[in-house]
Amino acid sequence: MSNTPMAASPLTWAVLEIDEYASGLGWDQPARLFALVDTARLRAQEPALAAQLGLDDAPETTGLTPIEQDEVPTDKPLDEFLATIAWPDAVVGCALTVERLMLPPSAEAQVPQGLSEAKLAQWVAEHPDRQEVRMTVAVLRDGTRDSALRLREKDAPTEVLTGAGLVPGLAEALSATFEE
C-alpha cells in the first residue's frame, strides 16, 4: 500500500487499498467483489490465512482487510447478482469495484426519452462528454459507507475522489447484502 494516502477511517483505507489494487490491474476490467474482515480478528482466528495474506508482518491495527471473492458473473445484471449474496458473520463489510461510463450533470437534459436500456447505454457510450470511471464502493454492516472514484483521463492516486455519498445506489445495493 505504498501509494495509498493516509485515510481518516479503516473503511476509507480499505476503499483506497481496493482502488489501488484495481488500478494496478489496468482498465477494462470486470467488476470485483470483496469481503471486508476485521484484521485483528482475522489474525487471531485464522493465523494461517493472515500469514498467507501478508498480515503477520503488518503493524497491529483495528483495520479492515479486503478479501477478493469469486468472479462477478457478467451474464447477469449487477443488481440481480448482489441480491443473491449472503455474508457469514465474520464478514463486517463488503466492497465492489466496477467501471462505468458517466455523463456530467449538464448532459442530463439531453437524454432522449423512451430509450430502452440497451439504446440508452449506446447513447451514453457515443456521447462526446462521456467519462470512464472506476467506482469502488464499500459498506459495513452498521450502515457506514465510503467510496472512491477514479476517472480514466485522470488516472493517478492523487486524483481519486473519496466520500460516503458518491455512489448512493450502489452503496444501497451492497448494504442490502447484509439484510436478513
Side-chain angles (χ1 to χ4, degrees):
M1 285 295 310
S2 59
N3 294 328
T4 301
M6 293 302 293
S9 74
L11 186 59
T12 303
W13 181 263
V15 165
L16 291 172
E17 182 177 3
I18 293 167
D19 173 75
E20 182 179 331
Y21 167 75
S23 176
L25 298 172
W27 286 88
D28 303 318
Q29 296 291 316
R32 295 178 187 280
L33 181 67
F34 299 82
L36 299 176
V37 297
D38 179 272
T39 303
R41 184 174 170 191
L42 177 64
R43 280 191 189 128
Q45 294 179 349
E46 299 285 344
L49 178 57
Q52 183 181 358
L53 295 172
L55 300 175
D56 49 353
D57 294 333
E60 289 298 315
T61 179
T62 58
L64 299 168
T65 297
I67 300 174
E68 188 170 3
Q69 304 301 290
D70 292 333
E71 288 186 21
V72 175
T74 57
D75 61 341
K76 180 185 270 190
L78 191 56
D79 58 339
E80 288 180 22
F81 167 70
L82 291 176
T84 67
I85 294 175
W87 297 103
D89 291 340
V91 175
V92 298
C94 66
L96 183 82
T97 183
V98 63
E99 296 175 15
R100 291 292 185 256
L101 291 177
M102 296 184 76
L103 293 175
S106 60
E108 193 171 311
Q110 303 168 7
V111 177
Q113 298 299 311
L115 292 180
S116 68
E117 197 169 314
K119 290 283 188 188
L120 179 59
Q122 180 182 354
W123 184 83
V124 170
E126 294 171 354
H127 195 282
D129 295 332
R130 73 185 178 284
Q131 300 241 355
E132 291 180 76
V133 63
R134 182 181 304 116
M135 301 175 284
T136 303
V137 179
V139 299
L140 297 180
R141 282 186 186 270
D142 68 7
T144 306
R145 52 182 68 175
D146 210 339
S147 53
L149 294 178
R150 182 186 291 247
L151 295 175
R152 189 171 191 156
E153 73 176 26
K154 294 183 178 184
D155 191 1
T158 58
E159 296 290 337
V160 176
L161 180 64
T162 60
L166 296 178
V167 193
L170 187 51
E172 286 298 322
L174 289 172
S175 290
T177 66
F178 291 106
E179 295 174 4
E180 295 182 25

